[in-house]
Amino acid sequence: MDLLTRKTFKRFKLHKKVGLPPGTIVHVGEKKVETTRITFIDYDEKDFQEKEIEKIEDSFVFKDKPTTTWINIDGLHEVKIIEKLGAYFGIHPLILEDIVHTGQRPKIEDFGDYIFIVLRMISHGDTKDEIVGEQISLIFGRNYVISFQEREGDVFNPIRERIRNAKGRVRKAGADYLAYLLVDAIVDNYFVILENVGEQIESFEEELVSNPTPETLHMIHKLKSDMIFLRKSVWPLREVINGLERGESHLIKKPTGIYLRDVYDHTVQVIETIETFRDMVSGMLDIYLSSVSNRMNEVMKVLTIIATIFIPLTFLAGIYGMNFKFMPELEWPLGYPLALGVMLLVVAVMVFYFRHKRWL
Amino acid sequence: MDLLTRKTFKRFKLHKKVGLPPGTIVHVGEKKVETTRITFIDYDEKDFQEKEIEKIEDSFVFKDKPTTTWINIDGLHEVKIIEKLGAYFGIHPLILEDIVHTGQRPKIEDFGDYIFIVLRMISHGDTKDEIVGEQISLIFGRNYVISFQEREGDVFNPIRERIRNAKGRVRKAGADYLAYLLVDAIVDNYFVILENVGEQIESFEEELVSNPTPETLHMIHKLKSDMIFLRKSVWPLREVINGLERGESHLIKKPTGIYLRDVYDHTVQVIETIETFRDMVSGMLDIYLSSVSNRMNEVMKVLTIIATIFIPLTFLAGIYGMNFKFMPELEWPLGYPLALGVMLLVVAVMVFYFRHKRWL
Amino acid sequence: MDLLTRKTFKRFKLHKKVGLPPGTIVHVGEKKVETTRITFIDYDEKDFQEKEIEKIEDSFVFKDKPTTTWINIDGLHEVKIIEKLGAYFGIHPLILEDIVHTGQRPKIEDFGDYIFIVLRMISHGDTKDEIVGEQISLIFGRNYVISFQEREGDVFNPIRERIRNAKGRVRKAGADYLAYLLVDAIVDNYFVILENVGEQIESFEEELVSNPTPETLHMIHKLKSDMIFLRKSVWPLREVINGLERGESHLIKKPTGIYLRDVYDHTVQVIETIETFRDMVSGMLDIYLSSVSNRMNEVMKVLTIIATIFIPLTFLAGIYGMNFKFMPELEWPLGYPLALGVMLLVVAVMVFYFRHKRWL
Amino acid sequence: MDLLTRKTFKRFKLHKKVGLPPGTIVHVGEKKVETTRITFIDYDEKDFQEKEIEKIEDSFVFKDKPTTTWINIDGLHEVKIIEKLGAYFGIHPLILEDIVHTGQRPKIEDFGDYIFIVLRMISHGDTKDEIVGEQISLIFGRNYVISFQEREGDVFNPIRERIRNAKGRVRKAGADYLAYLLVDAIVDNYFVILENVGEQIESFEEELVSNPTPETLHMIHKLKSDMIFLRKSVWPLREVINGLERGESHLIKKPTGIYLRDVYDHTVQVIETIETFRDMVSGMLDIYLSSVSNRMNEVMKVLTIIATIFIPLTFLAGIYGMNFKFMPELEWPLGYPLALGVMLLVVAVMVFYFRHKRWL
Amino acid sequence: MDLLTRKTFKRFKLHKKVGLPPGTIVHVGEKKVETTRITFIDYDEKDFQEKEIEKIEDSFVFKDKPTTTWINIDGLHEVKIIEKLGAYFGIHPLILEDIVHTGQRPKIEDFGDYIFIVLRMISHGDTKDEIVGEQISLIFGRNYVISFQEREGDVFNPIRERIRNAKGRVRKAGADYLAYLLVDAIVDNYFVILENVGEQIESFEEELVSNPTPETLHMIHKLKSDMIFLRKSVWPLREVINGLERGESHLIKKPTGIYLRDVYDHTVQVIETIETFRDMVSGMLDIYLSSVSNRMNEVMKVLTIIATIFIPLTFLAGIYGMNFKFMPELEWPLGYPLALGVMLLVVAVMVFYFRHKRWL
């Protein structure tokens, strides 16, 4: 239990440096990888080049070429790298601050020359029951996309694969389409997580009725908390993608618009599924409470009925245990069997009555 | 129970292929028919032609004729057919992806030349208690309507009949009116399902008070879940039809507008009925819980009263069961009947008191 | 009970013909009168004429005269009459369908030449406790108003009276003012019903605390259901009247505007009152449940205390009922009174303790 | 109780004359004063005149003078006075109807020449616990303000005082500023009432935990009902003042704008305080129910434990009360003290166990 | 307890002077410092001057210089100072009233020449569990910022430090940037408080399950009340900052816009965190109630089972305690051990049955 809640809470933790001037680039958050890993892919319709580099400066040569360049950075704690990159591409200090200051709310900011997007990627933690979030930042301009991840992940691998193999539209389209693909990959990932949550709820719902235990209550609480967490991550996403789709930026070409509308629809679907799960989990709490009290009532009823049947019998036995000198029944030869008979009769009448009343 | 929840959940299942490039046309969902069935109807005010065809290409000749052509496809797993159709009519790959990727949220997309609509049709499953959904996609252009169903259904039959018999406006009006008729048929179907749900609620409400059992709780949970499911299917429908009705597309002629307003009104009515049912089912839970606890209280009260009456009597009997040497009462000739009399008196006083307090 | 819920539900019943072409004029709903009754009133500032006619055609002569004509039709099952009327006045078939297809949601439609309004009139059923709805349709053009009722009603009588006696503005104003008067009469009627509901709630609230019974729960459920029903009838009314008031139609003259604003205010007041009643009825459920459990707790507490006092006493009596050879107390001459004294002491201590703990 | 609810309900009572033509001026509501009292104040920057008059006509002379005139009418049952006033100032009959027909929802209507405002003033009734409402209507034109109250009140006295003493801006500003002052006085009054309610809640919250009684439940219900009542009175006020502030009327001069914004802020603050109190009172219900059930549980637990300890003891005593011929223990010289010892041991073990389980 | 609620309530206390003319400058609220402390800082890119002054007039000389002047006033009870300041800078009397009348709702007012902002700063009270609010008012014009605090605070110290050390943009930017820094410092402070609340919730959640006590309920109530309080303080902040950011004032230069957007994002994050905490605390109440009733049920069940086992045994003992002359069993040599054996059997059967039913 202890572990579970501790993890639940860490997700909502606020990291906030207080008292520093705005635009100060300080990494806030867990350090999730040892060393920063920088990879870049440069491509156009014909050519393609992929490299893992040591120094960020090695990637700068591509900026002014007409090809599309994708720089991916895994690990945010080496702020020097991010500062250099920012200086070279002319990124506003506040944006650099947001990138390294994890725990941002998903948002989009359009600076004319480049667009900045923060998203939250959701994945399973150490166990399948656990859901953890990670901040992913994207900056894209006319011919480059820079992506920042807290740790290495495999969610962008299919996109790399497509670029390598020139599959789909990606090599023909520009930086805006690549940015769309990255966002799409993150949104798609929500479906994987949600499907898993759905299965948890399903397997869980059967248990709920057949065998409600206090652990069931914890599970419900955990699911509720998961839903709050997911909701908080996804809700602003809608606005972000809507902001992209409205197409007010010259950086987003018209054909990309319909793809953005598609990913927007997926976001809405994710949100609706989360809301549906919320409703279901709420309903589960009602069922759990009813099941528990039903079981309890059943127990209490049977036990009380047993007690109720024996109390009058004990009274009858008590009567003939009295020591009065003159109790004629005690002298009767059939007194004892008669007394037992009366007791049996009392039991029969009570059982019949309880049956009639449907209490048994 | 097991079966019921399993079915409940399948309805909310997310089908999502992850990692494929956008626009990849892969069937996602249950395969509900063995072979795809393609029918088409071509008509104008005077002529009329209806055929079931093997190859989708056989339907292409009609595209450039001034007559209205309705191509209906039952079964979505043969993506080749859909791809050919898409290529011939110039449909965007993302749309084709949406058609075969069932589980879409109802939506409308206007591509200028054609309008794409996804809807959810609701019908009873194997039993009358079960409600299942099916994705229906419509594409319509200037003089054609293409409809895609997951399985063969009879909801469009009355429309076919009307075309055959030239009943109503249908033969005089164009493709937009036909599209309206299809949407209208789907919305009308909701009324049939809702009427049935209403009857379930009604028959159920009586049981709720007279004989509340744990099964009642399950029924309430099922109804609640049905309402969530229906709601999720219908809410976006309103926007869809509103999108059609606003009449920004040149594909929708003015006289069709009032018909769309009519079907919009029906959608609103469906939504309101679902909300009303939700309110009622919520109220039922309150009543169920109160009924259960009322019954329980009644049982416990009567049993406790019985116990309470006999405990003092047993005490009295215990007194005279004591073995003290010097207990004058034991020697009295009338000791025994007197003791019994006192016991009767105690019972009378207690019953009177309980009656007075309205506990009996 | 049976009857009550049955009636509750009939109100929410959906009447829907499925599979017929749109614009088919078929009466759907209960037949509430035997024969259709047609009356008309024709008036201007000076003259006035009122007649009950057999054939609807008799009313057609007035259409082109400058006077204002009010045709009222009670009973909707003779669709022939409505069809003829529709043909003569040029009413759209979908409107005629809405008129005879009862159970419509209140709405307004502006066709330029005429405006169509559907409303729900609320009245008491056979008993004062029951609330039933009726569909009222109004069509009004430049110089005529046609009203359709499901059954004869007396809610429009004061308006007829005013026309006859030339009281108020009615004879001076035109068809739009007459239409306003009809709408106003229907809205006013809601106040009568709500005042009655308010009295029910009031008389009921006292009972709730003094004597909560399972019937109380039913009453709360019924009131809740009434509120849902009323709400569903009145909410769309606001939009309807707002639609009229915005004054985009040339059929509504400027001086009528302020009267429409007045009836709009009344509608808002009706809605707010319904919401207030809803809040109150919800609060009642809380109080009911608390009262029931308070009473139950009280009973259980007293009974448990009685049992608790006697159980130790019975134990004491049991001690001296043991048959040990060597029990010195049994030989004491004062053993018996001493035992009784100890018992009394135990009772006193317990009663004192319970009092101290405020359990008694 | 009886009295309390009766008063609660009277506040929500609808007064509605049904069947009369619109614009009929009939007093609806309680007659709260015996005779109507008419006072007027006429002032400009230099001069000032205050009079109580018998006939309303005496106040008419000031209409065309450049000075500002404030006519105040206490008591609404003499409709003749209101009619004359209306005729002289050219007020629309529907407005006059609203003035005498108490129970209006707060609203504003702009007639170009004059603005009409209805407000609800809240004050304590006979006791400090009771909150009652009163309708206050204001009409103001270029150089006059007419105010209508149901009874004499002292809420406007400070304003009169300021006019007399030429304190503040009032003598320099015009009719719009005077109207603002009246509205401000009414809004300020809400703070007085709310502060009192806040104190009630505070003193009450302590009682809630220390000594929850059924009366507590009533208090919560009363507070809830008060909040509903206050909310209903204040919510529309916001729109009213917003309507004034938007400054579309030429009657409101620019410098008054900022004062209106100030009173608007106060209204928002009143609304937020009411919402906060609502949340608190809801939370109180939860605490009350928990406290009651906690206390009940405590009682039941202790009593049940007592019973549970004595039942095995009584059984042991019962064993040695059996009359078997051959029971060796009965013959032992130490049989009796041993039996008592065993009993003590049983008690000790059970008490230890209960302590261990933290049930005691 | 007493103390806690008392403090809870003081936070919601309304301070309202009633009956005074608007614009009367009277201090309303607690006097939190003994003497008013006035400090000012005057700076431009090159020079910098900081002073604590006695008389407010000493700060006036800087008004017409091109440098940026920040006047900070701690303590609001000496209204004379505020009046002089207001007169010199030409501040509207209503604004001065708002400054000294603490308890204002956060708001922004744009007077063209200067902008007025009221905010609520949150800090811990005497203990870390307590949260108290303080009103902070800001007025800023082209080249000056005036800030008003109820008491001396250290939240602005880092800003002073930055000015002294010419760190960050502050010395280069103007009064609008300084105003932003002050607002940002206040918003940042919310994160500190919220982090602390989050830790309270976390540490508390474990206790909730392991050991639910009535104090737990109080804690939940306190947290709920804290959330209501925080929410009330922060919600309007969003509008305030939005009002600044929209940039309609010429006082706010363009480069400051992005900083305002940043602080706006932080405000949204604060609001969302509060909402999340609200959801969590609500969920806690459910868990608390379930935990309590689970524990209670467990106790009652075990106790009832003990009673239920012994009652039939006592009955059996009672049977053989009867004094009938003719009871053959009593004469059997093995009667006693047999009776004991039967009793053991009964116990075994019952325990087995209860185990089987999972009641034990």
Side-chain angles (χ1 to χ4, degrees), chain A residues 205-221:
Chain A
E205 205 174 45
E206 286 170 35
E207 210 186 297
L208 189 67
V209 181
S210 60
N211 188 22
T213 61
E215 280 74 47
T216 322
L217 187 63
H218 273 112
M219 260 316 265
I220 292 175
H221 187 54

Side-chain angles (χ1 to χ4, degrees), chain C residues 111-167:
Chain C
F111 282 79
D113 283 348
Y114 61 93
I115 289 175
F116 171 62
I117 302 172
V118 188
L119 299 168
R120 293 203 70 74
M121 192 172 86
I122 295 300
S123 52
H124 285 303
D126 301 335
T127 71
K128 238 195 155 183
D129 277 2
E130 203 189 333
I131 300 173
V132 295
E134 181 189 347
Q135 168 165 328
I136 301 222
S137 314
L138 300 179
I139 293 173
F140 71 96
R142 201 179 44 76
N143 65 348
Y144 65 91
V145 176
I146 316 175
S147 56
F148 301 85
Q149 291 181 262
E150 287 188 58
R151 77 179 104 198
E152 290 179 52
D154 46 7
V155 76
F156 292 159
N157 280 345
I159 300 168
R160 284 192 194 94
E161 205 57 44
R162 267 179 259 158
I163 298 177
R164 285 181 203 124
N165 306 335
K167 239 167 75 183

Side-chain angles (χ1 to χ4, degrees), chain D residues 155-156 158-163 166-174 176-188 255-264 266, chain E residues 16-26 83 91-101 104 107:
Chain D
V155 77
F156 292 158
I159 300 169
R160 282 191 195 95
E161 205 56 44
R162 267 180 258 159
I163 298 177
K167 236 168 77 182
R169 284 185 74 230
V170 60
R171 289 276 285 272
K172 285 164 229 145
D176 57 339
Y177 187 77
L178 179 58
Y180 148 72
L181 281 178
L182 298 179
V183 172
D184 189 51
I186 290 164
V187 172
D188 270 16
T256 310
I258 182 168
Y259 291 95
L260 289 171
R261 210 151 65 200
D262 195 58
V263 74
Y264 179 79
H266 292 167
Chain E
K16 190 67 200 148
K17 48 173 221 294
V18 173
L20 291 181
T24 312
I25 299 157
V26 179
E83 268 173 4
I91 311 297
H92 195 285
L94 278 179
I95 295 305
L96 299 177
E97 189 189 349
D98 283 351
I99 290 168
V100 294
H101 192 157
Q104 296 296 318
K107 64 173 175 179

Side-chain angles (χ1 to χ4, degrees), chain A residues 324-325, chain B residues 319-320 327-336, chain C residues 336 340:
Chain A
F324 284 106
K325 271 259 164 70
Chain B
I319 289 280
Y320 294 109
M327 288 178 70
E329 297 99 320
L330 297 180
E331 315 295 326
W332 297 353
L334 290 177
Y336 177 49
Chain C
Y336 178 49
L340 291 185

Side-chain angles (χ1 to χ4, degrees), chain D residues 278-337:
Chain D
R278 263 169 69 101
D279 279 0
M280 291 188 137
V281 171
S282 291
M284 280 177 162
L285 189 63
D286 288 342
I287 295 212
Y288 167 75
L289 293 175
S290 299
S291 293
V292 163
S293 97
N294 266 339
R295 281 174 64 89
M296 191 63 211
N297 281 350
E298 215 188 299
V299 174
M300 297 299 283
K301 205 167 67 179
V302 171
L303 296 186
T304 311
I305 283 172
I306 291 179
T308 307
I309 287 175
F310 278 101
I311 281 171
L313 300 187
T314 307
F315 164 66
L316 278 179
I319 289 282
Y320 295 108
M322 293 196 292
N323 296 322
F324 285 105
K325 270 258 162 68
F326 309 98
M327 288 178 71
E329 296 97 321
L330 297 180
E331 314 297 326
W332 297 354
L334 291 176
Y336 177 49

